[in-house]
Every structure is written in C-alpha cells, then in structure tokens.
Amino acid sequence: MPMGDNEPLFVRDERSRNGYVLNHRNPSGLALIVVLAVGVLILTAVALA
C-alpha cells in the first residue's frame, strides 16, 4: 500500500498504554517518529559528553 495523506496520524493500539500510537504509514507521522528519534539520540549524546 503506498503512503498517503488519507492515513490517520494516530492509530489505535491495544499494546499501548493510552491506546494510540503514531502511524508510520502517514508521511507526517513518519517524520515525527524520525525527528523524535534523532532528538533523543542528540540529547543522549550531549548528556554523556
């Protein structure tokens, strides 16, 4: 299935604590996941330095 804007940004997930997770099939959701992951890596590197 091609990525498209018609996918919701958040989807329900039974394993999640609050029931919703970012949807990696939505381009905005994928960008948010990447930005958050890079931010955590940078903050970790700064804290360890």
Side-chain angles (χ1 to χ4, degrees):
M1 177 183 297
M3 288 178 31
D5 289 333
N6 57 351
E7 290 280 338
L9 183 59
F10 293 98
V11 291
R12 275 197 149 313
D13 186 21
E14 295 83 24
R15 294 177 290 167
S16 174
R17 203 177 269 186
N18 66 355
Y20 288 96
V21 293
L22 280 170
N23 186 3
H24 66 277
R25 292 185 185 103
N26 184 316
S28 300
L30 184 60
L32 279 172
I33 292 169
V34 170
V35 166
L36 288 173
V38 170
V40 166
L41 289 173
I42 290 172
L43 288 174
T44 303
V46 168
L48 294 176

